[in-house]
Amino acid sequence: MDTIVKMETYQLIIFILLGLTLMLFGYRIKRIAFFIIWFILGFNLVVMLFPTIDRFAPDLISNPLWQNLLPIAGGLLLALLGFTIEKLCLGGICFALTMIVTVRYFGTEIQTLAIGAIIGVILAGLAVTLMRPAIVVATAITGAYALTLVIFAFFPQLSMQTFYWPILIGLSAVGSIFQLTTSKHLL
């Protein structure tokens, strides 16, 4: 959340556009959607790794140029991977989203991570088995997640503890229903 709050208005607008595109049209543009999702995951992963990178290369992280370039490079690397391997990409998205939720909301204890990983593997397996609905739901949730973060960035007076899950679930449902009803003919 700290990364989102520090973004400029134009960056938040780009984030809104990407989130809306994923949430409402993810299945129609699945290859591009996978690219966007993996970019967002790679970007966030590198930002989360900044404390570790700082321990090994403090000069690198203290330089503002590298602070901006490293997350973009991480995002592009994962995005290129996700763009090329569809089933692995979908399974990876489901697993990564599960692990992000696990770490952010339940902690990083070994038992918690193990339970999150088991749930993530099960969800990834289901996603690959149910490809179309899984792509719809995964892209809707990812777009809703981006939009939820932007909503809290624009309206800091909203209580994240109170409204985070209702907003995320509501936007995910709207995106999933919209995509399922508008992409029936696309199989």
PDB file of all heavy atoms in Angstrom, residues 78-109:
ATOM      1  N   LEU A  78       9.050 -10.908 -15.358  1.00  0.00           N
ATOM      2  CA  LEU A  78       7.940 -11.817 -15.095  1.00  0.00           C
ATOM      3  C   LEU A  78       6.845 -11.683 -16.145  1.00  0.00           C
ATOM      4  O   LEU A  78       6.190 -12.662 -16.493  1.00  0.00           O
ATOM      5  CB  LEU A  78       7.366 -11.565 -13.700  1.00  0.00           C
ATOM      6  CG  LEU A  78       8.130 -12.207 -12.549  1.00  0.00           C
ATOM      7  CD1 LEU A  78       7.455 -11.919 -11.220  1.00  0.00           C
ATOM      8  CD2 LEU A  78       8.282 -13.698 -12.739  1.00  0.00           C
ATOM      9  N   ALA A  79       6.631 -10.472 -16.661  1.00  0.00           N
ATOM     10  CA  ALA A  79       5.609 -10.260 -17.689  1.00  0.00           C
ATOM     11  C   ALA A  79       5.942 -11.037 -18.958  1.00  0.00           C
ATOM     12  O   ALA A  79       5.059 -11.632 -19.575  1.00  0.00           O
ATOM     13  CB  ALA A  79       5.473  -8.780 -17.991  1.00  0.00           C
ATOM     14  N   LEU A  80       7.196 -11.044 -19.351  1.00  0.00           N
ATOM     15  CA  LEU A  80       7.599 -11.789 -20.550  1.00  0.00           C
ATOM     16  C   LEU A  80       7.394 -13.283 -20.357  1.00  0.00           C
ATOM     17  O   LEU A  80       6.970 -13.987 -21.273  1.00  0.00           O
ATOM     18  CB  LEU A  80       9.041 -11.473 -20.907  1.00  0.00           C
ATOM     19  CG  LEU A  80       9.271 -10.052 -21.426  1.00  0.00           C
ATOM     20  CD1 LEU A  80      10.757  -9.771 -21.589  1.00  0.00           C
ATOM     21  CD2 LEU A  80       8.535  -9.832 -22.738  1.00  0.00           C
ATOM     22  N   LEU A  81       7.674 -13.763 -19.152  1.00  0.00           N
ATOM     23  CA  LEU A  81       7.431 -15.173 -18.844  1.00  0.00           C
ATOM     24  C   LEU A  81       5.935 -15.477 -18.933  1.00  0.00           C
ATOM     25  O   LEU A  81       5.518 -16.430 -19.580  1.00  0.00           O
ATOM     26  CB  LEU A  81       7.947 -15.521 -17.449  1.00  0.00           C
ATOM     27  CG  LEU A  81       7.558 -16.901 -16.928  1.00  0.00           C
ATOM     28  CD1 LEU A  81       8.319 -17.980 -17.671  1.00  0.00           C
ATOM     29  CD2 LEU A  81       7.791 -16.997 -15.451  1.00  0.00           C
ATOM     30  N   GLY A  82       5.128 -14.645 -18.294  1.00  0.00           N
ATOM     31  CA  GLY A  82       3.687 -14.857 -18.274  1.00  0.00           C
ATOM     32  C   GLY A  82       3.048 -14.749 -19.642  1.00  0.00           C
ATOM     33  O   GLY A  82       2.046 -15.404 -19.921  1.00  0.00           O
ATOM     34  N   PHE A  83       3.600 -13.952 -20.497  1.00  0.00           N
ATOM     35  CA  PHE A  83       3.052 -13.746 -21.841  1.00  0.00           C
ATOM     36  C   PHE A  83       3.204 -14.996 -22.694  1.00  0.00           C
ATOM     37  O   PHE A  83       2.390 -15.254 -23.564  1.00  0.00           O
ATOM     38  CB  PHE A  83       3.777 -12.566 -22.492  1.00  0.00           C
ATOM     39  CG  PHE A  83       3.194 -12.148 -23.804  1.00  0.00           C
ATOM     40  CD1 PHE A  83       1.968 -11.516 -23.869  1.00  0.00           C
ATOM     41  CD2 PHE A  83       3.875 -12.374 -24.985  1.00  0.00           C
ATOM     42  CE1 PHE A  83       1.424 -11.119 -25.077  1.00  0.00           C
ATOM     43  CE2 PHE A  83       3.353 -11.981 -26.204  1.00  0.00           C
ATOM     44  CZ  PHE A  83       2.118 -11.349 -26.239  1.00  0.00           C
ATOM     45  N   THR A  84       4.224 -15.799 -22.409  1.00  0.00           N
ATOM     46  CA  THR A  84       4.536 -16.920 -23.282  1.00  0.00           C
ATOM     47  C   THR A  84       3.947 -18.261 -22.844  1.00  0.00           C
ATOM     48  O   THR A  84       3.714 -19.127 -23.673  1.00  0.00           O
ATOM     49  CB  THR A  84       6.063 -17.090 -23.418  1.00  0.00           C
ATOM     50  OG1 THR A  84       6.614 -17.275 -22.116  1.00  0.00           O
ATOM     51  CG2 THR A  84       6.690 -15.881 -24.068  1.00  0.00           C
ATOM     52  N   ILE A  85       3.699 -18.447 -21.574  1.00  0.00           N
ATOM     53  CA  ILE A  85       3.292 -19.762 -21.080  1.00  0.00           C
ATOM     54  C   ILE A  85       1.935 -19.636 -20.386  1.00  0.00           C
ATOM     55  O   ILE A  85       1.852 -19.348 -19.210  1.00  0.00           O
ATOM     56  CB  ILE A  85       4.343 -20.326 -20.096  1.00  0.00           C
ATOM     57  CG1 ILE A  85       5.735 -20.247 -20.705  1.00  0.00           C
ATOM     58  CG2 ILE A  85       4.003 -21.735 -19.710  1.00  0.00           C
ATOM     59  CD1 ILE A  85       6.836 -20.518 -19.716  1.00  0.00           C
ATOM     60  N   GLU A  86       0.855 -19.895 -21.123  1.00  0.00           N
ATOM     61  CA  GLU A  86      -0.499 -19.592 -20.651  1.00  0.00           C
ATOM     62  C   GLU A  86      -0.930 -20.410 -19.432  1.00  0.00           C
ATOM     63  O   GLU A  86      -1.351 -19.855 -18.429  1.00  0.00           O
ATOM     64  CB  GLU A  86      -1.490 -19.786 -21.795  1.00  0.00           C
ATOM     65  CG  GLU A  86      -2.856 -19.271 -21.490  1.00  0.00           C
ATOM     66  CD  GLU A  86      -3.741 -19.292 -22.707  1.00  0.00           C
ATOM     67  OE1 GLU A  86      -3.446 -18.569 -23.673  1.00  0.00           O
ATOM     68  OE2 GLU A  86      -4.730 -20.041 -22.683  1.00  0.00           O
ATOM     69  N   LYS A  87      -0.846 -21.725 -19.496  1.00  0.00           N
ATOM     70  CA  LYS A  87      -1.325 -22.545 -18.368  1.00  0.00           C
ATOM     71  C   LYS A  87      -0.449 -22.364 -17.138  1.00  0.00           C
ATOM     72  O   LYS A  87      -0.953 -22.241 -16.025  1.00  0.00           O
ATOM     73  CB  LYS A  87      -1.389 -24.021 -18.763  1.00  0.00           C
ATOM     74  CG  LYS A  87      -2.562 -24.333 -19.650  1.00  0.00           C
ATOM     75  CD  LYS A  87      -2.683 -25.793 -19.915  1.00  0.00           C
ATOM     76  CE  LYS A  87      -3.884 -26.013 -20.827  1.00  0.00           C
ATOM     77  NZ  LYS A  87      -4.133 -27.402 -21.105  1.00  0.00           N
ATOM     78  N   LEU A  88       0.844 -22.344 -17.343  1.00  0.00           N
ATOM     79  CA  LEU A  88       1.746 -22.100 -16.225  1.00  0.00           C
ATOM     80  C   LEU A  88       1.497 -20.707 -15.659  1.00  0.00           C
ATOM     81  O   LEU A  88       1.521 -20.504 -14.448  1.00  0.00           O
ATOM     82  CB  LEU A  88       3.203 -22.246 -16.671  1.00  0.00           C
ATOM     83  CG  LEU A  88       4.256 -21.990 -15.603  1.00  0.00           C
ATOM     84  CD1 LEU A  88       4.147 -23.020 -14.485  1.00  0.00           C
ATOM     85  CD2 LEU A  88       5.640 -22.015 -16.210  1.00  0.00           C
ATOM     86  N   CYS A  89       1.222 -19.779 -16.553  1.00  0.00           N
ATOM     87  CA  CYS A  89       0.948 -18.409 -16.158  1.00  0.00           C
ATOM     88  C   CYS A  89      -0.300 -18.335 -15.281  1.00  0.00           C
ATOM     89  O   CYS A  89      -0.295 -17.703 -14.229  1.00  0.00           O
ATOM     90  CB  CYS A  89       0.777 -17.544 -17.406  1.00  0.00           C
ATOM     91  SG  CYS A  89       0.381 -15.843 -17.070  1.00  0.00           S
ATOM     92  N   LEU A  90      -1.374 -18.970 -15.691  1.00  0.00           N
ATOM     93  CA  LEU A  90      -2.611 -18.937 -14.921  1.00  0.00           C
ATOM     94  C   LEU A  90      -2.417 -19.594 -13.560  1.00  0.00           C
ATOM     95  O   LEU A  90      -2.824 -19.053 -12.532  1.00  0.00           O
ATOM     96  CB  LEU A  90      -3.746 -19.627 -15.685  1.00  0.00           C
ATOM     97  CG  LEU A  90      -5.082 -19.689 -14.960  1.00  0.00           C
ATOM     98  CD1 LEU A  90      -5.612 -18.286 -14.677  1.00  0.00           C
ATOM     99  CD2 LEU A  90      -6.081 -20.493 -15.763  1.00  0.00           C
ATOM    100  N   GLY A  91      -1.777 -20.749 -13.530  1.00  0.00           N
ATOM    101  CA  GLY A  91      -1.495 -21.411 -12.262  1.00  0.00           C
ATOM    102  C   GLY A  91      -0.614 -20.549 -11.375  1.00  0.00           C
ATOM    103  O   GLY A  91      -0.842 -20.440 -10.168  1.00  0.00           O
ATOM    104  N   GLY A  92       0.381 -19.918 -11.974  1.00  0.00           N
ATOM    105  CA  GLY A  92       1.273 -19.045 -11.218  1.00  0.00           C
ATOM    106  C   GLY A  92       0.561 -17.827 -10.664  1.00  0.00           C
ATOM    107  O   GLY A  92       0.832 -17.391  -9.539  1.00  0.00           O
ATOM    108  N   ILE A  93      -0.356 -17.259 -11.443  1.00  0.00           N
ATOM    109  CA  ILE A  93      -1.128 -16.099 -10.971  1.00  0.00           C
ATOM    110  C   ILE A  93      -1.935 -16.494  -9.740  1.00  0.00           C
ATOM    111  O   ILE A  93      -1.928 -15.787  -8.724  1.00  0.00           O
ATOM    112  CB  ILE A  93      -2.059 -15.564 -12.082  1.00  0.00           C
ATOM    113  CG1 ILE A  93      -1.251 -14.859 -13.166  1.00  0.00           C
ATOM    114  CG2 ILE A  93      -3.102 -14.603 -11.507  1.00  0.00           C
ATOM    115  CD1 ILE A  93      -2.052 -14.542 -14.425  1.00  0.00           C
ATOM    116  N   CYS A  94      -2.637 -17.614  -9.815  1.00  0.00           N
ATOM    117  CA  CYS A  94      -3.454 -18.058  -8.680  1.00  0.00           C
ATOM    118  C   CYS A  94      -2.584 -18.336  -7.457  1.00  0.00           C
ATOM    119  O   CYS A  94      -2.922 -17.942  -6.342  1.00  0.00           O
ATOM    120  CB  CYS A  94      -4.264 -19.283  -9.058  1.00  0.00           C
ATOM    121  SG  CYS A  94      -5.545 -18.915 -10.259  1.00  0.00           S
ATOM    122  N   PHE A  95      -1.452 -19.005  -7.668  1.00  0.00           N
ATOM    123  CA  PHE A  95      -0.557 -19.280  -6.549  1.00  0.00           C
ATOM    124  C   PHE A  95       0.010 -17.980  -5.971  1.00  0.00           C
ATOM    125  O   PHE A  95       0.018 -17.784  -4.757  1.00  0.00           O
ATOM    126  CB  PHE A  95       0.588 -20.202  -7.001  1.00  0.00           C
ATOM    127  CG  PHE A  95       1.522 -20.564  -5.880  1.00  0.00           C
ATOM    128  CD1 PHE A  95       1.180 -21.561  -4.990  1.00  0.00           C
ATOM    129  CD2 PHE A  95       2.732 -19.895  -5.722  1.00  0.00           C
ATOM    130  CE1 PHE A  95       2.036 -21.891  -3.943  1.00  0.00           C
ATOM    131  CE2 PHE A  95       3.578 -20.212  -4.682  1.00  0.00           C
ATOM    132  CZ  PHE A  95       3.238 -21.215  -3.788  1.00  0.00           C
ATOM    133  N   ALA A  96       0.470 -17.083  -6.842  1.00  0.00           N
ATOM    134  CA  ALA A  96       1.070 -15.823  -6.375  1.00  0.00           C
ATOM    135  C   ALA A  96       0.054 -14.958  -5.639  1.00  0.00           C
ATOM    136  O   ALA A  96       0.375 -14.384  -4.587  1.00  0.00           O
ATOM    137  CB  ALA A  96       1.667 -15.062  -7.555  1.00  0.00           C
ATOM    138  N   LEU A  97      -1.164 -14.851  -6.164  1.00  0.00           N
ATOM    139  CA  LEU A  97      -2.194 -14.070  -5.472  1.00  0.00           C
ATOM    140  C   LEU A  97      -2.498 -14.667  -4.102  1.00  0.00           C
ATOM    141  O   LEU A  97      -2.664 -13.932  -3.122  1.00  0.00           O
ATOM    142  CB  LEU A  97      -3.469 -13.988  -6.313  1.00  0.00           C
ATOM    143  CG  LEU A  97      -3.421 -13.086  -7.544  1.00  0.00           C
ATOM    144  CD1 LEU A  97      -4.686 -13.243  -8.369  1.00  0.00           C
ATOM    145  CD2 LEU A  97      -3.212 -11.645  -7.166  1.00  0.00           C
ATOM    146  N   THR A  98      -2.553 -15.988  -4.017  1.00  0.00           N
ATOM    147  CA  THR A  98      -2.799 -16.646  -2.728  1.00  0.00           C
ATOM    148  C   THR A  98      -1.675 -16.344  -1.746  1.00  0.00           C
ATOM    149  O   THR A  98      -1.922 -16.037  -0.576  1.00  0.00           O
ATOM    150  CB  THR A  98      -2.938 -18.171  -2.922  1.00  0.00           C
ATOM    151  OG1 THR A  98      -3.986 -18.421  -3.855  1.00  0.00           O
ATOM    152  CG2 THR A  98      -3.237 -18.871  -1.617  1.00  0.00           C
ATOM    153  N   MET A  99      -0.438 -16.404  -2.211  1.00  0.00           N
ATOM    154  CA  MET A  99       0.698 -16.135  -1.323  1.00  0.00           C
ATOM    155  C   MET A  99       0.761 -14.662  -0.907  1.00  0.00           C
ATOM    156  O   MET A  99       1.119 -14.349   0.228  1.00  0.00           O
ATOM    157  CB  MET A  99       2.006 -16.580  -1.979  1.00  0.00           C
ATOM    158  CG  MET A  99       2.128 -18.088  -2.127  1.00  0.00           C
ATOM    159  SD  MET A  99       1.817 -19.036  -0.609  1.00  0.00           S
ATOM    160  CE  MET A  99       3.233 -18.570   0.363  1.00  0.00           C
ATOM    161  N   ILE A 100       0.401 -13.745  -1.817  1.00  0.00           N
ATOM    162  CA  ILE A 100       0.384 -12.322  -1.465  1.00  0.00           C
ATOM    163  C   ILE A 100      -0.646 -12.072  -0.370  1.00  0.00           C
ATOM    164  O   ILE A 100      -0.372 -11.387   0.618  1.00  0.00           O
ATOM    165  CB  ILE A 100       0.107 -11.446  -2.710  1.00  0.00           C
ATOM    166  CG1 ILE A 100       1.349 -11.397  -3.595  1.00  0.00           C
ATOM    167  CG2 ILE A 100      -0.309 -10.029  -2.304  1.00  0.00           C
ATOM    168  CD1 ILE A 100       1.134 -10.719  -4.939  1.00  0.00           C
ATOM    169  N   VAL A 101      -1.830 -12.643  -0.522  1.00  0.00           N
ATOM    170  CA  VAL A 101      -2.871 -12.495   0.505  1.00  0.00           C
ATOM    171  C   VAL A 101      -2.400 -13.130   1.810  1.00  0.00           C
ATOM    172  O   VAL A 101      -2.569 -12.549   2.893  1.00  0.00           O
ATOM    173  CB  VAL A 101      -4.209 -13.114   0.035  1.00  0.00           C
ATOM    174  CG1 VAL A 101      -5.205 -13.219   1.182  1.00  0.00           C
ATOM    175  CG2 VAL A 101      -4.801 -12.297  -1.101  1.00  0.00           C
ATOM    176  N   THR A 102      -1.773 -14.297   1.727  1.00  0.00           N
ATOM    177  CA  THR A 102      -1.276 -14.980   2.921  1.00  0.00           C
ATOM    178  C   THR A 102      -0.270 -14.117   3.671  1.00  0.00           C
ATOM    179  O   THR A 102      -0.393 -13.911   4.883  1.00  0.00           O
ATOM    180  CB  THR A 102      -0.621 -16.330   2.539  1.00  0.00           C
ATOM    181  OG1 THR A 102      -1.591 -17.148   1.883  1.00  0.00           O
ATOM    182  CG2 THR A 102      -0.087 -17.051   3.761  1.00  0.00           C
ATOM    183  N   VAL A 103       0.724 -13.593   2.973  1.00  0.00           N
ATOM    184  CA  VAL A 103       1.778 -12.799   3.617  1.00  0.00           C
ATOM    185  C   VAL A 103       1.220 -11.492   4.163  1.00  0.00           C
ATOM    186  O   VAL A 103       1.505 -11.116   5.302  1.00  0.00           O
ATOM    187  CB  VAL A 103       2.937 -12.538   2.624  1.00  0.00           C
ATOM    188  CG1 VAL A 103       3.888 -11.499   3.157  1.00  0.00           C
ATOM    189  CG2 VAL A 103       3.673 -13.834   2.329  1.00  0.00           C
ATOM    190  N   ARG A 104       0.423 -10.798   3.381  1.00  0.00           N
ATOM    191  CA  ARG A 104      -0.061  -9.481   3.803  1.00  0.00           C
ATOM    192  C   ARG A 104      -1.053  -9.539   4.952  1.00  0.00           C
ATOM    193  O   ARG A 104      -1.106  -8.623   5.762  1.00  0.00           O
ATOM    194  CB  ARG A 104      -0.678  -8.736   2.632  1.00  0.00           C
ATOM    195  CG  ARG A 104       0.369  -8.279   1.650  1.00  0.00           C
ATOM    196  CD  ARG A 104      -0.193  -7.267   0.699  1.00  0.00           C
ATOM    197  NE  ARG A 104       0.830  -6.956  -0.274  1.00  0.00           N
ATOM    198  CZ  ARG A 104       1.173  -5.728  -0.592  1.00  0.00           C
ATOM    199  NH1 ARG A 104       0.566  -4.724  -0.048  1.00  0.00           N
ATOM    200  NH2 ARG A 104       2.117  -5.516  -1.480  1.00  0.00           N
ATOM    201  N   TYR A 105      -1.863 -10.581   5.007  1.00  0.00           N
ATOM    202  CA  TYR A 105      -2.953 -10.583   5.981  1.00  0.00           C
ATOM    203  C   TYR A 105      -2.839 -11.636   7.073  1.00  0.00           C
ATOM    204  O   TYR A 105      -3.527 -11.541   8.078  1.00  0.00           O
ATOM    205  CB  TYR A 105      -4.302 -10.713   5.256  1.00  0.00           C
ATOM    206  CG  TYR A 105      -4.490  -9.563   4.319  1.00  0.00           C
ATOM    207  CD1 TYR A 105      -4.303  -9.715   2.958  1.00  0.00           C
ATOM    208  CD2 TYR A 105      -4.772  -8.291   4.808  1.00  0.00           C
ATOM    209  CE1 TYR A 105      -4.422  -8.643   2.101  1.00  0.00           C
ATOM    210  CE2 TYR A 105      -4.889  -7.216   3.954  1.00  0.00           C
ATOM    211  CZ  TYR A 105      -4.717  -7.396   2.604  1.00  0.00           C
ATOM    212  OH  TYR A 105      -4.816  -6.339   1.762  1.00  0.00           O
ATOM    213  N   PHE A 106      -1.969 -12.621   6.895  1.00  0.00           N
ATOM    214  CA  PHE A 106      -1.875 -13.663   7.906  1.00  0.00           C
ATOM    215  C   PHE A 106      -0.460 -13.833   8.452  1.00  0.00           C
ATOM    216  O   PHE A 106      -0.252 -14.596   9.380  1.00  0.00           O
ATOM    217  CB  PHE A 106      -2.395 -14.994   7.351  1.00  0.00           C
ATOM    218  CG  PHE A 106      -3.827 -14.908   6.909  1.00  0.00           C
ATOM    219  CD1 PHE A 106      -4.150 -14.898   5.564  1.00  0.00           C
ATOM    220  CD2 PHE A 106      -4.854 -14.805   7.834  1.00  0.00           C
ATOM    221  CE1 PHE A 106      -5.468 -14.806   5.148  1.00  0.00           C
ATOM    222  CE2 PHE A 106      -6.171 -14.706   7.432  1.00  0.00           C
ATOM    223  CZ  PHE A 106      -6.488 -14.704   6.082  1.00  0.00           C
ATOM    224  N   GLY A 107       0.533 -13.167   7.855  1.00  0.00           N
ATOM    225  CA  GLY A 107       1.885 -13.202   8.395  1.00  0.00           C
ATOM    226  C   GLY A 107       2.842 -14.073   7.609  1.00  0.00           C
ATOM    227  O   GLY A 107       2.481 -14.655   6.586  1.00  0.00           O
ATOM    228  N   THR A 108       4.061 -14.156   8.120  1.00  0.00           N
ATOM    229  CA  THR A 108       5.113 -14.879   7.410  1.00  0.00           C
ATOM    230  C   THR A 108       5.681 -16.047   8.218  1.00  0.00           C
ATOM    231  O   THR A 108       6.776 -16.505   7.947  1.00  0.00           O
ATOM    232  CB  THR A 108       6.263 -13.922   7.044  1.00  0.00           C
ATOM    233  OG1 THR A 108       6.759 -13.315   8.253  1.00  0.00           O
ATOM    234  CG2 THR A 108       5.819 -12.860   6.069  1.00  0.00           C
ATOM    235  N   GLU A 109       4.933 -16.512   9.213  1.00  0.00           N
ATOM    236  CA  GLU A 109       5.398 -17.681   9.950  1.00  0.00           C
ATOM    237  C   GLU A 109       5.405 -18.885   9.011  1.00  0.00           C
ATOM    238  O   GLU A 109       4.614 -18.960   8.085  1.00  0.00           O
ATOM    239  CB  GLU A 109       4.491 -17.971  11.159  1.00  0.00           C
ATOM    240  CG  GLU A 109       4.544 -16.911  12.245  1.00  0.00           C
ATOM    241  CD  GLU A 109       3.703 -15.689  11.928  1.00  0.00           C
ATOM    242  OE1 GLU A 109       2.655 -15.825  11.263  1.00  0.00           O
ATOM    243  OE2 GLU A 109       4.115 -14.584  12.309  1.00  0.00           O
TER     244      GLU A 109
END
